[in-house]
């Protein structure tokens, strides 16, 4: 739960007199890591974000809200909102209380209580105020293809350096590599570089 710990420590910058609009913005960004996750959690961080979301929803006072709405395309959508003016007064104490319980259970090796608490917050249910099991259908219907990391290239022409970008697709990745390695003897160059550095890894 280092995400929650980091958020809490960031909020305590105010103790040293550094509390400012920029610090509040950082906390708002950190609090924004909460999001709806899948029932099956692959990365541990996805489940942690979901648990933090449940903690912030539980503290009430309309600090964090999840609303089912109609999207611009007329299909069901979800709106997650946070009242940033209540980060210090509502969100911070809620995270502190949660971390306090978690630390107590860890320090006393109370595995049963820790598991009971964590299972409560990580459960994905329907028929509740926030039926995340039902929300999952909306999330999956709006799931977008995973973004691809495509490197740009620079070219010098007429004394100027131009930046060329590519579409975030498989074709874009291939074209980026083709443009980057235009030398016909690129394999020989790479092998030469490998031989030069080989002794560092043997």
């Amino acid at each position: 739960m280092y995400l929650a710990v980091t958020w809490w420590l960031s909020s305590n910058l105010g103790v040293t007199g550094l509390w400012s609009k920029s610090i509040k913005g950082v906390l708002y960004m950190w609090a924004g890591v909460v999001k709806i996750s899948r029932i099956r959690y692959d990365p541990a961080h996805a489940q942690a974000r979901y648990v933090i979301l449940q903690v912030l929803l539980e503290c009430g006072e309309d600090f964090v809200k999840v609303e089912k709405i109609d999207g611009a395309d007329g299909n069901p959508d979800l709106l997650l909102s946070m009242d940033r003016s209540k980060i210090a007064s509502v969100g911070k104490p809620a995270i502190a209380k949660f971390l306090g319980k978690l630390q107590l259970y860890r320090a006393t090796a109370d595995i049963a209580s820790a598991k009971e608490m964590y299972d409560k917050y990580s459960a994905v249910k329907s028929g509740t105020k926030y039926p995340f099991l039902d929300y999952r259908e909306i999330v999956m219907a709006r799931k977008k293809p995973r973004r691809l990391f495509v490197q740009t290239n620079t070219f010098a022409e007429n004394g100027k350096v131009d930046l060329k970008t590519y579409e975030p697709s498989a074709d874009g990745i291939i074209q980026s590599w083709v443009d980057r390695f235009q030398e016909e003897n690129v394999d020989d160059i790479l092998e030469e570089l490998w031989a030069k550095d080989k002794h560092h890894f043997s």
Side-chain angles (χ1 to χ4, degrees):
M1 296 302 292
Y2 86 90
L3 291 174
V5 174
T6 303
W7 192 82
W8 165 255
L9 291 177
S10 298
S11 70
N12 280 313
L13 289 174
V15 175
T16 61
L18 297 177
W19 187 263
S20 63
K21 184 176 181 180
S22 60
I23 295 299
K24 292 179 181 178
V26 170
L27 293 177
Y28 184 71
M29 177 192 70
W30 266 109
V33 303
V34 297
K35 67 177 183 180
I36 299 173
S37 300
R38 298 163 291 178
I39 294 179
R40 174 180 172 81
Y41 304 102
D42 292 330
H45 293 163
Q47 188 179 36
R49 287 191 292 265
Y50 180 78
V51 168
I52 294 173
L53 173 59
Q54 297 304 312
V55 172
L56 298 180
L57 286 170
E58 184 183 64
C59 66
E61 299 190 40
D62 288 334
F63 173 50
V64 174
K65 294 187 292 184
V66 180
E67 302 172 81
K68 183 178 178 181
I69 63 173
D70 291 328
D73 56 2
N75 295 320
D77 204 346
L78 294 172
L79 175 65
L80 280 73
S81 57
M82 173 184 292
D83 187 343
R84 62 193 307 167
S85 68
K86 297 179 180 178
I87 290 178
S89 61
V90 179
K92 180 180 175 182
I95 292 295
K97 183 178 179 181
F98 171 74
L99 290 176
K101 287 183 178 179
L102 190 61
Q103 180 59 29
L104 174 63
Y105 296 148
R106 292 181 62 183
T108 58
D110 190 349
I111 299 176
S113 296
K115 186 176 186 303
E116 180 182 357
M117 181 185 73
Y118 204 80
D119 287 348
K120 166 194 168 185
Y121 286 116
S122 61
V124 182
K125 303 177 181 179
S126 60
T128 59
K129 182 178 180 180
Y130 296 105
F132 282 91
L133 191 58
D134 301 331
Y135 292 164
R136 183 180 186 277
E137 296 181 6
I138 299 176
V139 173
M140 296 306 294
R142 291 188 171 277
K143 184 178 180 180
K144 297 180 180 179
R146 186 171 183 176
R147 293 184 179 181
L148 300 176
F149 177 70
V150 185
Q151 291 181 312
T152 59
N153 285 313
T154 54
F155 298 93
E157 186 175 354
N158 299 325
K160 295 178 60 179
V161 177
D162 294 323
L163 177 68
K164 183 177 180 180
T165 60
Y166 304 86
E167 290 293 326
S169 63
D171 289 343
I173 292 177
I174 294 173
Q175 189 59 52
S176 172
W177 280 82
V178 169
D179 291 347
R180 185 176 303 112
F181 300 106
Q182 297 182 10
E183 299 288 341
E184 294 183 0
N185 62 335
V186 63
D187 290 336
D188 296 332
I189 295 174
L190 291 175
E191 186 174 355
E192 181 181 345
L193 292 173
W194 168 78
K196 180 180 178 181
D197 295 334
K198 181 180 178 181
H199 67 280
H200 293 299
F201 305 97
S202 58

